């Protein structure tokens, strides 16, 4: 089978786990085979209303480039299909989303259950989505990929997810390393097979990917297929947004550099993933058309 044929038959879940180097391919066998499709289906069954999205992973004084991209594109996708997305983040993402016309609420490092409870009452969300947001681990700390504590620089937005779970509000998590909100679903596996102190905060539906932004794109790809409306961003849109937030201070979470790259991957890889997802969606739509015909 040639390369083109392989791309046409490659599943969305395979695409977003390309180049896996932090063990997400190991975790895959512990999830539903179609975990990205499942997340998209569950999102689209939510009644129309406010959806809260969170992101912003602290790296050396800034928010990293992984997370904001996926959050922006997923928020815009949800907006197109009738939801009202609201970004919940902290000061390290200041200005990242207003320029896209998205509503944002900033939380303080000192905020606790009282403040997050009030936030839930104010917005009465139909669902919550976390994309590359650090959560409390099994040692009651917030750590980066190197094991360094960032507790003093991380607003406790994971409390919002714990409160939502208590109130039976549907929750979703997208992560790529084991320390993000939602990885509590697989904490025992992560501890044993990846030798990490995993995040212990759970969600109803978990998506994993090599880069968290790609997990968001995967959900958008399936939503696009289901709703028959263009939801995946173009490479031009991604490039523009990434370069803009880098100028605002965002850094690559792996290299620590203020560069238009994500988790050490250059923009060319971002283009590759987007193009592969487009191929997968087109192939699926063509298959549906043949069946209907």
């Amino acid at each position: 089978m040639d390369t083109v044929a392989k791309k046409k038959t490659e599943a969305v879940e395979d695409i977003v786990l390309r180049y896996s180097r932090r063990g997400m391919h190991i975790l895959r066998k512990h999830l539903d085979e179609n975990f990205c499709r499942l997340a998209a289906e569950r999102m689209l069954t939510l009644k129309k209303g406010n959806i809260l999205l969170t992101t912003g992973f602290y790296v050396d004084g800034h928010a990293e480039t992984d997370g904001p991209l996926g959050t922006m594109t997923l928020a815009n996708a949800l907006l197109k299909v009738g939801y009202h997305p609201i970004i919940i983040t902290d000061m390290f993402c200041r200005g990242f989303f207003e320029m896209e016309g998205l509503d944002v609420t900033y939380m303080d490092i000192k905020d606790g259950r009282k403040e997050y409870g009030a936030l839930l009452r104010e917005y009465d969300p139909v669902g919550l989505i976390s994309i590359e947001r650090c959560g409390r681990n099994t040692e009651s700390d917030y750590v980066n990929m190197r094991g360094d504590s960032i507790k003093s620089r991380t607003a406790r937005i994971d409390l919002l997810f714990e409160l939502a779970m208590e109130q039976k509000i549907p929750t979703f998590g997208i992560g790529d390393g084991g320390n993000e909100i939602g990885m509590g679903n697989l904490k025992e596996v992560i501890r044993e097979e990846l030798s990490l102190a995993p995040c212990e905060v759970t969600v109803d539906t978990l998506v994993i990917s090599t880069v968290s932004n790609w997990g968001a794109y995967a959900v958008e790809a399936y939503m696009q297929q289901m709703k028959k409306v263009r939801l995946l961003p173009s490479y031009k849109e991604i490039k523009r947004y990434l370069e803009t937030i880098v100028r605002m201070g965002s850094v690559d979470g792996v290299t620590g550099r203020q560069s238009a790259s994500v988790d050490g991957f250059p923009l060319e890889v971002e283009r590759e993933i987007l193009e592969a997802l487009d191929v997968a969606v087109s192939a699926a739509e063509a298959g549906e058309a043949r069946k209907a015909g």
Side-chain angles (χ1 to χ4, degrees):
M1 183 181 292
D2 61 26
T3 302
V4 173
K6 283 183 181 179
K7 285 186 178 180
K8 287 183 178 179
T9 58
E10 191 176 16
V12 165
E13 286 77 7
D14 294 323
I15 293 168
V16 298
L17 285 171
R18 285 184 189 177
Y19 310 118
S20 176
R21 56 193 182 192
R22 293 181 64 194
M24 294 303 101
H25 61 290
I26 296 172
L27 300 186
R28 182 177 182 175
K29 63 180 178 288
H30 299 282
L31 294 176
D32 184 278
E33 181 181 1
N34 302 307
F35 59 91
C36 295
R37 175 186 288 275
L38 185 63
E41 289 173 343
R42 289 179 176 174
M43 280 186 201
L44 290 177
T45 62
L46 299 175
K47 65 180 182 179
K48 296 298 189 292
N50 293 331
I51 293 186
L52 307 184
L53 298 92
T54 188
T55 193
F57 206 115
Y58 175 85
V59 178
D60 296 331
H62 306 281
E64 69 164 299
T65 52
D66 190 22
L69 267 171
T71 301
M72 180 274 289
T73 59
L74 185 53
N76 281 327
L78 290 165
L79 190 62
K80 287 180 182 178
V81 296
Y83 294 94
H84 178 209
I86 302 168
I87 314 300
I88 310 298
T89 186
D90 52 32
M91 61 180 289
F92 300 108
C93 281
R94 188 164 296 281
F96 285 13
F97 303 104
E98 291 89 343
M99 63 184 177
E100 295 295 317
L102 296 167
D103 292 336
V104 189
T105 292
Y106 293 97
M107 304 304 294
D108 190 87
I109 301 295
K110 298 177 182 178
D111 289 339
R113 286 178 68 92
K114 177 183 176 182
E115 288 78 12
Y116 288 107
L119 192 71
L120 279 182
R121 290 191 296 274
E122 177 183 356
Y123 290 129
D124 189 25
V126 298
L128 279 70
I129 305 168
S130 174
I131 305 171
E132 188 68 11
R133 178 74 197 184
C134 189
R136 185 187 65 253
N137 70 12
T138 52
E139 297 175 354
S140 296
D141 202 357
Y142 296 75
V143 301
N144 61 22
M145 64 181 294
R146 298 169 184 82
D148 303 321
S149 177
I150 56 172
K151 190 173 185 177
S152 64
R153 296 291 185 270
T154 301
R156 300 169 64 193
I157 297 175
D158 51 348
L159 290 175
L160 189 65
F161 283 72
E162 293 181 333
L163 289 168
M165 291 286 280
E166 291 171 11
Q167 297 177 34
K168 308 300 182 186
I169 302 170
T171 56
F172 302 81
I174 300 177
D176 62 18
N179 53 359
E180 304 92 357
I181 292 172
M183 288 296 185
N185 291 27
L186 298 175
K187 64 181 180 181
E188 296 304 328
V189 178
I190 293 169
R191 182 187 290 112
E192 293 173 11
E193 300 195 33
L194 303 186
S195 301
L196 300 173
C199 174
E200 64 179 3
V201 182
T202 61
V203 291
D204 295 307
T205 306
L206 177 64
V207 171
I208 59 172
S209 50
T210 300
V211 174
S212 292
N213 289 336
W214 302 356
Y217 303 158
V219 173
E220 294 156 27
Y222 276 125
M223 289 171 60
Q224 177 173 310
Q225 181 185 336
M226 295 168 194
K227 300 297 287 187
K228 311 302 182 192
V229 59
R230 179 72 190 184
L231 297 176
L232 274 171
S234 68
Y235 171 70
K236 183 178 180 180
E237 291 171 315
I238 289 299
K239 182 175 183 292
R240 172 193 58 79
Y241 183 80
L242 180 58
E243 289 175 344
T244 299
I245 64 172
V246 166
R247 286 196 297 270
M248 297 170 73
S250 191
V251 299
D252 185 305
V254 170
T255 68
R257 299 193 187 102
Q258 198 173 335
S259 62
S261 59
V262 183
D263 281 359
F265 293 105
L267 270 169
E268 289 73 20
V269 177
E270 205 80 10
R271 184 201 293 267
E272 173 194 328
I273 297 302
L274 284 171
E275 289 179 350
L277 290 172
D278 258 327
V279 169
V281 170
S282 298
E285 290 174 345
E288 290 171 0
R290 284 193 298 271
K291 288 179 182 179

